[in-house]
Amino acid sequence: MSELFSKKNKEAFLNPLGSNNPVTVQVLGICSALAVTAQLEPAIVMGISVTVIVAMANVIISLLRKTIPNRIRIIVQLVVVASLVTIVSEILKAFAYDVSVQLSVYIGLIITNCILMGRLEAFAMQNGPWESLLDGIGNGLGYAKILVIVAFFRELLGSGTLFGFNILNYDAVNNAGYINNGLMLMPPMALIIVACIIWWQRAHNKDLQEK
């Protein structure tokens, strides 16, 4: 049991949540962070979808790593990821159709998400299934964490709502001078919020600061 939760395994799970976050440190998966964070609900669904796919793909590639010929390893990884993405896409269409429509092509584009290919190539091909599972969950949650933070501020300040429920659109709030900022709903604001998160993270983590 102690080996399952060794220091190395804990780091594989926890580092992507903070000091080695795939979005703010590795700067991966930025495109979807800009595109699906205008509202909280699609951002959360996207984060969960990527987490499930990265974790499962990591485990599958880890189990197959010793049998995959080196010259076709990228093709095999793409086939595994594409199969998982198709399954997740069909599940969303069956049980969360409205969210699926909001996410549009971005669910399909998970196939080319740099986080996925990076973890499969850099970690799953060199480590066992359990370590790969933890790494996949950690990186998926790290990605989802940033999406949720960005979506929270964009929806709240841009629409005055959270999960579609009215938060700021009241006469008392409007009379105090608050007006919804439509600029928050535009993709450039997502990039600015991500930049602010990166700045905060680097300011509070000496290991990330340039020497």
Side-chain angles (χ1 to χ4, degrees), residues 84-106:
L84 293 172
V85 168
T86 300
I87 293 171
V88 169
S89 178
E90 293 304 312
I91 291 174
L92 287 177
K93 289 178 181 178
F95 298 101
Y97 182 75
D98 291 341
V99 176
S100 176
V101 171
Q102 291 180 31
L103 292 174
S104 183
V105 298
Y106 294 102

Side-chain angles (χ1 to χ4, degrees), residues 35-202:
V36 302
T37 53
Q39 293 182 318
L40 262 175
E41 186 177 11
I44 291 173
V45 172
M46 186 69 168
I48 293 173
S49 299
V50 170
T51 301
V52 171
I53 292 170
V54 176
M56 294 181 66
N58 261 14
V59 171
I60 293 171
I61 293 299
S62 178
L63 290 170
L64 298 176
R65 71 187 188 282
K66 294 181 180 179
T67 63
I68 301 175
N70 188 59
R71 65 183 181 277
I72 63 167
R73 69 187 190 283
I74 301 298
I75 297 175
V76 174
Q77 292 170 13
L78 284 173
V79 169
V80 170
V81 172
S83 301
L84 293 172
V85 168
T86 300
I87 293 171
V88 169
S89 178
E90 293 304 312
I91 291 174
L92 287 177
K93 289 178 181 178
F95 298 101
Y97 182 75
D98 291 341
V99 176
S100 176
V101 171
Q102 291 180 31
L103 292 174
S104 183
V105 298
Y106 294 102
I107 283 291
L109 288 176
I110 293 176
I111 296 171
T112 59
N113 193 308
C114 299
I115 297 172
L116 267 162
M117 301 310 298
R119 298 328 298 165
L120 295 178
E121 184 69 12
F123 198 92
M125 288 293 291
Q126 285 81 39
N127 293 275
W130 174 248
E131 294 86 351
S132 298
L133 175 64
L134 293 177
D135 178 80
I137 295 175
N139 277 275
L141 291 178
Y143 168 83
K145 167 187 168 184
I146 301 303
L147 259 65
V148 169
I149 293 173
V150 173
F152 174 86
F153 287 106
R154 290 185 69 192
E155 183 177 357
L156 179 64
L157 301 180
S159 302
T161 63
L162 288 175
F163 292 108
F165 293 103
N166 188 20
I167 302 296
L168 298 177
N169 296 321
Y170 293 103
D171 291 339
V173 178
N174 294 333
N175 291 337
Y178 176 80
I179 301 176
N180 290 334
N181 186 353
L183 185 62
M184 293 296 295
L185 301 177
M186 300 180 67
M189 284 308 301
L191 189 61
I192 292 173
I193 296 173
V194 170
C196 291
I197 297 172
I198 293 174
W199 167 79
W200 183 90
Q201 188 174 18
R202 288 182 177 273

